[in-house]
Each structure stands twice: as structure tokens, then as C-alpha cells.
Amino acid sequence: MEEKKTAWERLKLVHTKGRPTIRDYIPLIFNDFYEMHGDRFYGDDKAVIGGIAMLDGTPVTVIAQVKGRDIDENKACNFAMPLPEGYRKALRLAKQAEKFHRPVICFIDTPGAYAGVAAEERGQGEAIARNIAEFMTLRTPIISIVLGEGGSGGALALGVCDELAMLENAQYSVISPRGFASILWKDAEREEEACNIMKITAEDMVSLGVAESIIEEPLGGAHNDLDKISENIKEYLLCKIPEKCEKDIDVLLKERYTKFRKIGEFTE
Amino acid sequence: MFDDFFNVVKLRFNGGDEDEVPTFKCPRCQSPVPMSRYEELHRVCPNCNYHGRLPARERIAITADKESFREFDADMISCDPIDFPDYTEKQKELRQKTGLNDAVVTGIANIRGITTVIGVMDPNYMMGSMGSVVGEKIARAFEYATENGLPVVLFTASGGARMQEGIVSLMQMAKTSGAVKLHSDNGGLYITVLTDPTTGGVTASFASLGDIIIAEPKILIGFAGRRVIESTMKQRLPEDFQLAEFMQEKGFVDMIVERKRMRATLAHLLELHGYKGKEV
Ligand SMILES: [Zn+2]
């Protein structure tokens, strides 16, 4: 790994035009991806894609938040900010995976769940809560990977898993640094300062017990070598998926619960 | 009529300086209510039925049978997981000011004789925000209820995740929701009572997971804040947006219950699920 970057420098990297998105990764990591559409209740949210794919010889369910690579793609996928139906599609596909004993791989890349009238009317809070609760007891292995931005509850809705990996420059946070500065200091311009104190880097996630692994990015960032970063992600999955699949499911579920259960710092 | 009332009160209560009676000014109808009267009504406006924010201890007092409440984890206090400037000092001050150790009080009590695990969030403590302590106490309350076959009643009131605890606060959503799920899978009844305001990460976790979801009238329920939505949509939102009645209309609230009927309603619901008094 290269010289350590600040959280702010990493945030800039994650926002670099040309940072690979899930659409770049899928063909390089998986074979035969069959995309599935819709939540069976309301619609098909383009900010979340999901489907069945082959990871070498293993059928897996892939669920991912979709960033656009240009303005048109971004408009189509609502800048990776899912609506409730996106989360409900994710849950539907996760349940499908459970039924057919396929491991689930979630790719997180969102600034947060969409904040709008439609989202509120259709129960954004309920949709996220439901996913968190259901993923906690889903009887199949779940691996989540933060590709770029892991923003708030909108990220956590795909983040309840047996193991969480962060790409080296990816971030995971309770709110965007800008939102943090504007709410706590009433000054959005202090975004950089907020970013550097919030503890949102991959290393922070490992030291706080939120993530287990860091996937190394090519020199200068993921956009510099798409083949290499895809290879690294695939290698990670090929190591972790069999490991989780071999475990007794009840043991796995107990460990999943404990992983989240022990996060928190208090005295009594 | 409103104006008359207003004037009378003003004359009566703002006349002198020495024997000035403490007054509550209703944020909804603007009418001043003598504080003693407001408190006697358990912080409901006699004029417009505004359901004000109730401190956790007062909520417990009007919900549980007398002397039946036994608190869990009363001494638990938060650390400072991301070394946020001044967080520790702020907490110390708030503990002194509010008499609370954090934003939730949990414990076990009888409600008309029925043994129930209860939790009450208090918006007077950092807007009821959820950090390590709220997460841990709620998770423990559900685990206790699961082990002992007890129902849970939670009164929610929260601005969301406690940002001063960074990602650790976000993870409390998973911790609490996981504990709720295990309680549910074990057949336990969980009644959520949404009170003002229930928003953000609490709405997106345990507040939305009740078997039965009750709300007090006209209280605020939402995921995203109104101002955030207004600024992204660049439009003003209708007055009733995100109020309890609106959320019921959209399908997210089972019933709206006034504070004066809450205890009786809870007792009936617990009873019709077969719960009874229990030696614990
Ligand atoms: Zn009023």
C-alpha cells in the first residue's frame, strides 16, 4: 500500500470521475449475471440492482447499489439513492437466495437512502428497518463490500452480514461529512474537518469492529486499474464464500448477531 | 375566542412580576397554559389536544402500576468512541441537567398487573438520539424479554442516530433490530408507541418493527427531516406531512391513541395476547 492518505483525500478519490461502479465490476467478477427486477409491491428501483450470477462454480445472489458513470446514468439511478422499493427488492432477492441456499453478496455504494416525499409516503424507515431485521436472521451466508460511499441507514440496509469488507479508499459513515458539519457545527463549509475527525475510513472500520477486511486498491485508486481491483474483489470473495458456506448455519447466525451486538462503547 | 382566552391568561399570569405563574405556551395553538395545569394533564394542551414531549420518568409514572417499575442498567453511561471534541463534557453536563444518564430508560413494570418490559426514550437528552447506551439498553431489554417470555412496550422519541458517536451509532440500528427480531421469532409481542418526534435511524430500526404500532395524535414520524426534503425537492411541504395521521393514511401506523387512553389500551392489548402478571 502507498503512503497513508487522509480521510478527506480518500473522499476525493471516491468521488473521482471514473471510479468503477458495480456495472464495471459485475462482468469482471461474475459469469452469467441474470438481473431480476422489482419488489413485487410497487416498482423497480434503478438505484438497486440484483440478480443471480456465477462466482466461478458457485451460484450466488448479487445485490448492489448503482452509481452512474456519467450524468445520464446518474439520473437514471437517482445518484445511487434508493427508494423503499429498492430495499424491498433487495429483501425479496435475499429471501429468494435463502430459499435456494445461495450465498448473498451485497455491494454498498450510496450517499444515503433517498430523502423525498415519495420515499416517506412509501415508508423509507420501515423498508430499511425491515431489511436490517430480516438480514440478521437470513439463513444463508451474507458478505457485504463497501465499494465507495457507505452512507448512513441507506447503506446499512445492505450491510447486515457475516463479514464486511471495505475497498481501501471506501468510507462508511452515519451521515455525510457535509451533513455532519452542517448539523453539529451549523457550518457545511467545515466538511473537510468533519471528514477527518469522523472516523470513516476502512482502517477506522476495522478498528471499531465494523469491518473485518480491507481490499487493496491499485496504486492511486481503483480507477487506475479496473482489472486489478476486480481481481482483488473476486479473490476476496473466493476465499470468504466457501469459508462461510462450510459453517453450520446456526453458528453463523449466532456469530452474525454477535458481530453487531458487541459494537458500542459504554461503562456501567 | 382564542384571543379572549389569550388575553385573560396574559392578564392573569403576566400581570405581576413577583407572583408570575409559570406558563406553558402551546407550540401548536400558541395559547398559554399555566404550567401546573399542563403538567396535570400530562403535558397535553387543553385547548388543541397538542401532545407535548413527556419526560421518561413521567411517562413511566402514567403507564406503570404504582411502585412496580424496576429499572435496568440505570448506571450505564456512554464513552466517546470517535473522540468527538467536548462529547464527554457535554454528557456530564446533560446528566446533571436532566437527571438522566442517557436518552432511554428501560426496565420491567406491571401495566394493570401485566408484567411487561418497557423502554421510554426521552427527547430532553440530546433529542433522544441513539448512541451506544440507547442501543445497548434496548438490546438488553429485548433479550431479557426473550429469555423470560415477556412482552415489550417501547415509547420512541428520537432525532435519530447520535452523530457524535460516528459509525458506532449507526451500528446500534443493527444491534437493536437484531434483538427485536429474535424476540419476535420467539413469539414475543412488541408494541411500539411512537411519540414526538420519531425520526431518522430510530424510525429506520426498532420503531418500525413493532407487531402493533401505536402513535400519539399529530406527532412527527419520518425518516428524513422535513427541511432536508424541502431543500432537495425545492418545494414547501403540506402542513400534515409526516404527522401520525398522515403516516396512518400511508399504512405505517396501526392506531392513534390519545395519552389519556394509552395505559388502558396497552393493558387491553397485552391481555388479549394472553399475557398475565408474573414473578420475575
Ligand atoms: Zn394547544
Side-chain angles (χ1 to χ4, degrees):
Chain A
M1 286 192 205
E2 51 200 303
E3 207 181 311
K4 249 179 101 171
K5 296 187 200 71
T6 65
W8 178 248
E9 287 163 341
R10 290 177 196 276
L11 183 78
K12 291 279 164 209
L13 249 182
V14 162
H15 288 152
T16 303
K17 199 172 153 54
R19 173 107 181 153
T21 71
I22 189 62
R23 293 210 187 274
D24 300 302
Y25 290 128
I26 284 179
L28 294 174
I29 298 172
F30 304 102
N31 298 317
D32 310 320
F33 177 64
Y34 288 95
E35 188 178 348
M36 308 283 156
H37 293 273
D39 67 345
R40 299 292 189 270
F41 293 113
Y42 182 85
D44 185 43
D45 183 23
K46 303 290 189 290
V48 175
I49 62 166
I52 308 167
M54 292 296 281
L55 175 70
D56 274 6
T58 312
V60 295
T61 287
V62 177
I63 301 169
Q65 286 157 333
V66 188
K67 282 221 166 148
R69 290 166 292 197
D70 54 44
I71 188 69
D72 289 329
E73 276 190 17
N74 258 320
K75 273 186 185 156
C77 66
N78 200 22
F79 297 85
M81 294 184 288
L83 285 158
E85 47 272 27
Y87 294 116
R88 293 182 182 127
K89 169 164 69 177
L91 181 57
R92 178 176 79 84
L93 296 178
K95 289 281 187 186
Q96 192 189 66
E98 178 183 52
K99 177 175 176 183
F100 297 104
H101 311 289
R102 282 191 294 269
V104 175
I105 303 166
C106 291
F107 293 95
I108 295 169
D109 202 1
T110 180
Y114 185 65
V117 173
E120 294 296 311
E121 287 180 343
R122 299 202 284 275
Q124 189 69 283
E126 193 275 346
I128 293 171
R130 188 71 51 202
N131 278 22
I132 294 171
E134 292 293 332
F135 275 60
M136 192 65 84
T137 54
L138 196 78
R139 296 182 69 79
T140 194
I142 310 169
I143 301 282
S144 295
I145 302 176
V146 185
L147 296 176
E149 272 181 295
S152 191
L156 183 61
L158 299 186
V160 173
C161 56
D162 300 303
E163 192 167 319
L164 182 80
M166 305 279 298
L167 294 201
E168 189 185 334
N169 293 307
Q171 317 207 313
Y172 199 0
S173 62
V174 63
I175 184 173
S176 70
R178 198 173 177 78
F180 188 92
S182 104
I183 292 175
L184 289 183
W185 300 327
K186 314 277 175 242
D187 184 2
E189 297 309 308
R190 288 169 73 184
E191 185 181 7
E192 179 174 349
E193 188 187 343
C195 185
N196 287 331
I197 70 158
M198 283 173 71
K199 298 218 163 66
I200 59 177
T201 66
E203 282 165 35
D204 294 327
M205 290 312 115
V206 171
S207 72
L208 290 166
V210 173
E212 284 71 26
S213 303
I214 297 175
I215 298 173
E216 200 177 323
E217 293 189 21
L219 205 67
H223 59 286
N224 281 341
D225 192 341
L226 177 63
D227 287 327
K228 183 68 188 149
I229 183 66
S230 304
E231 197 184 302
N232 291 354
I233 295 171
K234 185 168 182 173
E235 201 176 290
Y236 167 80
L237 289 171
L238 286 173
C239 162
K240 292 297 167 182
I241 295 282
E243 185 189 306
K244 301 298 172 193
C245 287
E246 275 162 28
K247 271 206 173 142
D248 177 77
I249 187 68
D250 291 309
V251 174
L252 194 70
L253 289 182
K254 202 162 267 171
E255 288 174 356
R256 188 185 301 164
Y257 184 76
T258 309
K259 166 178 155 63
F260 292 94
R261 184 67 186 81
K262 64 174 198 254
I263 302 175
E265 296 186 18
F266 53 87
T267 57
E268 50 190 326
Chain B
M1 196 209 111
F2 242 28
D3 287 359
D4 289 352
F5 183 73
F6 185 82
N7 286 332
V8 169
V9 174
K10 207 156 84 179
L11 279 174
R12 214 194 297 164
F13 298 109
N14 297 349
D17 7 284
E18 238 119 273
D19 32 50
E20 196 171 293
V21 176
T23 310
F24 170 76
K25 190 175 175 217
C26 175
R28 181 167 309 135
C29 70
Q30 311 300 323
S31 56
V33 183
M35 193 50 103
S36 56
R37 174 83 183 121
Y38 179 61
E39 281 173 357
E40 192 180 282
L41 293 168
H42 309 303
R43 301 178 194 265
V44 173
C45 173
N47 222 22
C48 73
N49 202 30
Y50 164 79
H51 278 54
R53 295 172 183 180
L54 202 57
R57 307 280 171 202
E58 290 184 32
R59 176 75 68 178
I60 291 163
I62 64 168
T63 306
D65 298 350
K66 239 188 189 134
E67 319 258 299
S68 74
F69 181 70
R70 181 158 63 77
E71 187 170 350
F72 295 157
D73 309 309
D75 299 325
M76 192 188 294
I77 59 172
S78 190
C79 298
D80 185 8
I82 66 163
D83 304 317
F84 186 78
D86 303 330
Y87 183 53
T88 307
E89 290 70 43
K90 261 255 177 65
Q91 297 279 301
K92 220 176 271 168
E93 273 171 41
L94 263 173
R95 285 198 292 270
Q96 274 168 3
K97 207 181 112 201
T98 61
L100 295 161
N101 279 340
D102 210 299
V104 74
V105 176
T106 55
I108 187 168
N110 288 337
I111 300 177
R112 291 205 173 157
I114 302 169
T115 310
T116 308
V117 170
I118 70 173
V120 183
M121 301 186 81
D122 196 320
N124 296 309
Y125 197 97
M126 293 186 83
M127 266 318 289
S129 59
M130 171 157 63
S132 298
V133 172
V134 171
E136 183 69 20
K137 283 169 88 165
I138 286 178
R140 285 189 192 179
F142 275 94
E143 287 171 345
Y144 182 92
T146 305
E147 278 159 32
N148 293 284
L150 293 169
V152 179
V153 174
L154 271 196
F155 294 85
T156 62
S158 177
R162 185 167 305 167
M163 284 171 284
Q164 293 87 341
E165 293 191 25
I167 195 74
V168 170
S169 70
L170 189 74
M171 294 301 128
Q172 305 310 307
M173 292 167 64
K175 182 197 275 190
T176 52
S177 301
V180 173
K181 182 63 164 51
L182 297 190
H183 179 255
S184 177
D185 288 354
N186 196 48
L189 171 69
Y190 164 33
I191 301 177
T192 315
V193 182
L194 309 175
T195 74
D196 197 52
T198 298
T199 61
V202 166
T203 300
S205 61
F206 59 86
S208 292
L209 296 171
D211 296 295
I212 297 172
I213 299 182
I214 299 176
E216 289 195 320
K218 301 263 171 78
I219 59 115
L220 180 76
I221 306 162
F223 174 65
R226 189 190 181 92
R227 261 174 303 165
V228 175
I229 298 172
E230 281 182 335
S231 77
T232 35
M233 316 267 298
K234 299 188 174 58
Q235 68 181 64
R236 292 265 305 156
L237 295 166
E239 279 301 306
D240 70 340
F241 182 67
Q242 293 182 322
L243 294 191
E245 290 70 12
F246 174 93
M247 292 309 282
Q248 185 177 48
E249 179 72 28
K250 297 298 169 194
F252 296 98
V253 170
D254 287 302
M255 47 180 125
I256 294 173
V257 176
E258 292 193 18
R259 192 165 293 167
K260 60 182 180 219
R261 300 192 198 290
M262 192 65 77
R263 176 175 144 87
T265 305
L266 291 171
H268 281 148
L269 288 171
L270 290 166
E271 203 175 84
L272 67 83
H273 284 81
Y275 289 106
K276 293 182 174 66
K278 199 170 172 177
E279 287 296 317
V280 185

